[in-house]
């Protein structure tokens, strides 16, 4: 794993990998730096390294910006409401948010948001809006750009789902996730930012980024989540690998962990069974050889990923700051390779 953090253009400044089977954590390793650079130099296309004494080494319990792994928590929060009968999986979004005319007029449903089949485009430039009212107006007017029913991955699905959840419960998404997931499971390191001790992400500046915010650490990397105040359905959570191991263990065990239960087994199966609700299923591009027998998981733009393999009761968590000091084209081979190593280790065992 050390090779992932070495050289002038490493895959990531720092990497944490945790793998487990059943109740046992088999691998927990960390390498590299939570903070390695002070800035990015576009003229040399290299990071400006901090003096060795000023760098921060990564540890197994270092918090990372989860990016789109946040979607998994939003999905669980939604399925909790489905289990309670307060949210209909095939209900139209217009029934809950009639003022969101763009999706209401096209009959977009909760299931379509959870499966990325709403037809909504990948994102909107909410970060360019002058205020919250303008952001809300943009989202209300947004209509599907493709025919609903066809897969098109979109952050807007989970942002709208957040608004639905907040409307039907009267509580913020941060409270729903804390009260319904992280607090019952004892996941004390998982929360929306700010998170001062987190691994650094990007020297966020135009033209390569969508906002001029400088070197980020402990505040959400995603520009739209930042524009929404740091709490968003698609991004914004910070967590550690040990906390995520509890989350994985809970889902693989049918929704319970110790004395806590966050979902019933039938509803966990609904989350994880193809096509998956929020979770992607059998995607070899990041699951490697774990894919093909019902593995479920997700990736995050900052360098995070999570894979559950119900067939063998195993999971793999990879946390990395691949965007430190700057975002680069995705390179998913390390994710797939580690998943393949885990698959072969389980097979050989």
């Amino acid at each position: 794993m050390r090779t992932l953090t070495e050289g002038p253009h490493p895959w990531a400044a720092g990497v944490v990998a945790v793998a487990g089977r059943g109740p046992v954590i088999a691998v927990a390793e960390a390498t590299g730096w939570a903070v390695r650079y002070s800035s990015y130099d576009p003229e040399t296309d290299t990071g400006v390294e901090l003096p060795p004494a000023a760098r921060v080494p990564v540890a197994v319990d270092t918090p990372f910006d989860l990016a789109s792994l946040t979607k998994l928590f939003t999905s669980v929060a939604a399925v909790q409401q489905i289990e309670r009968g307060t949210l209909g999986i095939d209900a139209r979004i217009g029934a809950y948010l009639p003022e969101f005319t763009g999706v209401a007029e096209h009959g977009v449903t909760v299931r379509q948001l959870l499966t990325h089949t709403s037809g909504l485009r990948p994102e909107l430039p909410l970060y360019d809006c002058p205020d919250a009212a303008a952001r809300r107006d943009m989202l209300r007017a947004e209509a599907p750009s493709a025919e609903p029913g066809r897969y098109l991955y979109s952050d807007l699905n989970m942002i709208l789902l957040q608004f639905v959840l907040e409307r039907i419960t009267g509580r913020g998404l941060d409270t729903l996730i804390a009260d319904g997931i992280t607090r019952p499971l004892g996941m004390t390191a998982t929360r929306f930012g700010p998170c001062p001790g987190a691994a650094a992400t990007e020297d966020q500046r135009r033209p390569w980024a969508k906002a001029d915010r400088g070197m980020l650490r402990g505040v959400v990397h995603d520009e739209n989540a930042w524009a929404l105040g740091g709490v968003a359905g698609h991004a914004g959570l910070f967590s550690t690998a040990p906390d995520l191991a509890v989350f994985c263990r809970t889902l693989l065990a049918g929704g319970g962990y110790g004395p806590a239960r966050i979902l019933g087994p039938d509803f966990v199966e609904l989350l994880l069974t193809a096509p998956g609700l929020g979770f992607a299923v059998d995607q070899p591009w990041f699951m490697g050889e774990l894919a093909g027998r019902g593995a479920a998981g997700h990736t995050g733009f900052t360098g995070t990923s999570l894979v559950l393999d119900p067939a063998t009761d195993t999971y793999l968590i990879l946390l990395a700051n691949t965007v430190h000091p700057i975002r680069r084209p995705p390179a998913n081979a390390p994710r797939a390779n580690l998943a393949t190593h885990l698959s072969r280790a389980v097979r050989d065992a």
Side-chain angles (χ1 to χ4, degrees):
M1 220 172 60
R2 184 176 298 174
T3 58
L4 299 179
T5 62
E6 294 177 342
H9 294 295
W11 183 71
V15 178
V16 176
V18 167
R21 187 178 192 187
V24 177
I25 292 180
V27 175
E29 295 187 10
T31 184
W33 305 97
V35 185
R36 178 175 176 177
Y37 306 99
S38 62
S39 62
Y40 167 71
D41 182 354
E43 292 188 4
T44 61
D45 189 27
T46 57
V48 179
E49 290 195 305
L50 290 162
R55 300 175 196 170
V56 180
V58 74
V60 169
D61 60 354
T62 296
F64 282 77
D65 182 334
L66 294 187
S68 283
L69 294 193
T70 301
K71 293 180 172 75
L72 303 183
F73 289 82
T74 303
S75 299
V76 170
V79 174
Q80 287 177 329
Q81 297 303 316
I82 293 168
E83 182 177 29
R84 292 166 190 166
T86 55
L87 180 66
I89 190 168
D90 290 311
R92 296 187 174 193
I93 301 306
Y96 305 108
L97 303 172
E99 71 276 23
F100 282 67
T101 55
V103 293
E105 291 174 357
H106 287 78
V108 172
T109 68
V110 171
R111 187 189 298 271
Q112 288 171 337
L113 296 185
L114 282 163
T115 56
H116 293 286
T117 55
S118 68
L120 291 166
R121 56 177 152 166
E123 66 171 9
L124 286 171
L126 303 176
Y127 44 83
D128 281 338
C129 292
D131 52 39
R135 288 188 285 274
R136 184 63 67 100
D137 288 346
M138 182 180 284
L139 287 165
R140 286 174 175 171
E142 182 68 11
S145 62
E147 185 68 24
R150 184 173 68 86
Y151 181 83
L152 178 63
Y153 183 83
S154 172
D155 288 346
L156 303 182
N157 290 317
M158 292 299 167
I159 294 174
L160 289 186
L161 190 58
Q162 171 190 0
F163 291 147
V164 170
L165 293 173
E166 292 178 343
R167 177 68 57 86
I168 66 176
T169 64
R171 295 186 291 165
L173 181 66
D174 52 347
T175 301
L176 290 172
I177 288 175
D179 290 349
I181 304 173
T182 60
R183 189 174 295 121
L185 297 179
M187 296 172 61
T188 57
T190 305
R191 61 187 183 276
F192 287 96
C195 183
T201 55
E202 185 177 31
D203 182 7
Q204 202 168 87
R205 289 182 276 153
R206 291 181 173 93
W208 56 84
K210 302 162 189 171
D212 293 299
R213 301 168 62 202
M215 184 61 75
L216 305 179
R217 186 185 184 198
V219 292
V220 64
H221 174 268
D222 182 90
E223 292 95 340
N224 274 341
W226 165 68
L228 292 167
V231 177
H234 71 294
L237 277 175
F238 291 79
S239 189
T240 64
D243 256 29
L244 291 177
V246 172
F247 182 66
C248 293
R249 192 65 231 121
T250 301
L251 295 177
L252 287 171
Y257 183 81
R261 176 162 292 281
I262 63 169
L263 277 176
D266 290 347
F267 290 90
V268 173
E269 185 176 357
L270 188 65
L271 270 173
L272 304 182
T273 301
L277 300 182
F279 288 78
V281 179
D282 285 336
Q283 300 295 312
W285 60 272
F286 77 93
M287 298 179 181
E289 292 181 9
L290 285 176
R293 54 193 179 211
H298 214 286
T299 64
F301 185 79
T302 51
T304 58
S305 60
L306 177 157
V307 184
L308 308 172
D309 183 18
T312 59
D313 199 22
T314 58
Y315 60 87
L316 173 65
I317 298 155
L318 185 62
L319 301 181
N321 50 353
T322 59
V323 296
H324 184 54
I326 186 175
R327 65 188 71 189
R328 297 186 182 278
N332 292 300
R335 290 167 164 150
N337 290 342
L338 286 173
T340 293
H341 284 311
L342 176 60
S343 177
R344 293 176 182 179
V346 171
R347 179 195 63 197
D348 293 343

